[in-house]
Amino acid sequence: MVLWPLAFVGAGVVCGVVCVVAWVRMRAFLSRAQRVPGVVTELIRSYSSSSGSGSGGSSGGYTYRPVFQFRTYDGRDVRVESSVGSNPPSARPGQQVNVLYDPMRPEHARLDTFTQRGGLVVLIMLVFTVVFTAVGVGVTAGLNA
């Protein structure tokens, strides 16, 4: 019996677990998050050694992480550097944005976008789950036919 198809199924299961954990975390954050207006104050440019969107397929390029500020419902002014970068930038300095923040931890705020809410991670892991599992099950079924 060839074991490599089972490795694909195993990878699919691992990706599925990561997908579920990411989805649960995203839903938990969204359930307690407050939405407020904010403004992007600057962009932090970082060099990435791996290729990314907008880098033209090269071996590296720059990404831009927005720094934004907002006021919480209880009147605190908060400034946050996003942990998510992109190229082109997701927002420009001076741009008004919607911010999601946990009232207990406003310093961990996120811009209210699909990517920063965690939706992109969930989607990518779901695709990997389906592809790895389908390949592993398909090949296993073909070997047993």
Side-chain angles (χ1 to χ4, degrees):
M1 178 174 163
V2 179
L3 294 179
W4 70 266
L6 295 177
F8 275 91
V9 173
V13 169
V14 169
C15 289
V17 169
V18 171
C19 179
V20 169
V21 168
W23 183 80
V24 167
R25 285 181 158 187
M26 179 183 71
R27 296 299 305 158
F29 173 75
L30 293 175
S31 72
R32 65 184 180 270
Q34 301 288 318
R35 180 177 282 118
V36 294
V39 64
V40 174
T41 58
E42 66 180 294
L43 295 174
I44 304 295
R45 186 171 93 161
S46 301
Y47 185 77
S48 173
S49 60
S50 62
S51 64
S53 102
S55 64
S58 67
S59 63
Y62 289 99
T63 59
Y64 301 88
R65 288 174 299 156
V67 176
F68 55 95
Q69 62 185 37
F70 63 96
R71 179 166 288 167
T72 64
Y73 281 120
D74 62 1
R76 290 180 285 166
D77 289 321
V78 181
R79 187 170 187 263
V80 176
E81 180 180 323
S82 176
S83 61
V84 179
S86 63
N87 188 357
S90 60
R92 301 274 183 207
Q95 182 176 342
Q96 298 290 316
V97 291
N98 289 319
V99 175
L100 294 170
Y101 75 94
D102 180 343
M104 300 301 291
R105 298 173 60 190
E107 67 279 1
H108 294 283
R110 306 173 190 176
L111 295 181
D112 188 9
T113 66
F114 180 73
T115 300
Q116 292 207 10
R117 282 190 310 258
L120 185 60
V121 171
V122 172
L123 181 62
I124 290 170
M125 295 315 297
L126 179 61
V127 168
F128 283 153
T129 299
V130 170
V131 169
F132 283 136
T133 304
V135 168
V137 168
V139 170
T140 301
L143 290 174
N144 292 331

